[in-house]
Amino acid sequence: MSEEENYKRVYTGPETNVQYLQELFEKEGIHSRVRNDFDSGLRAGFGGGLPGQVLLFVWENQYQKAVKIARETFPKDFENE
């Protein structure tokens, strides 16, 4: 089983929002991980992802608690779900 399978995406948005959520998650003991496809693509010499949009992942067993925090913090970002 790869390490990616242990994580679940909880939020995609501006880097500043993701950093704020990471702080909130840390206070609640939630482990998180960030992936920036655009930045990674630039470093590798090709495009990918959207500028300014990063993905925030948490351990699968912490997903429900994390998504609740994210929805309460940035409710407008979850309106279309």
Side-chain angles (χ1 to χ4, degrees):
M1 181 187 273
S2 77
E3 197 173 312
E4 287 293 323
E5 293 179 50
N6 295 324
Y7 287 93
K8 193 168 180 180
R9 184 183 58 82
V10 68
Y11 183 80
T12 301
E15 190 168 2
T16 53
N17 289 8
V18 169
Q19 289 171 342
Y20 183 63
L21 284 173
Q22 281 190 293
E23 289 178 25
L24 295 176
F25 291 173
E26 188 175 315
K27 289 178 184 176
E28 295 295 322
I30 299 171
H31 174 77
S32 64
R33 181 174 166 184
V34 174
R35 190 175 86 200
N36 185 331
D37 292 339
F38 184 76
D39 190 46
S40 296
L42 288 177
R43 291 176 193 212
F46 57 88
L50 296 171
Q53 297 291 301
V54 295
L55 293 87
L56 180 61
F57 295 85
V58 297
W59 289 105
E60 284 184 45
N61 64 352
Q62 298 176 323
Y63 177 78
Q64 293 300 325
K65 188 174 181 181
V67 79
K68 182 178 186 285
I69 293 168
R71 285 179 185 271
E72 290 172 354
T73 306
F74 299 111
K76 289 185 179 185
D77 293 345
F78 290 88
E79 287 179 350
N80 294 326
E81 287 190 1

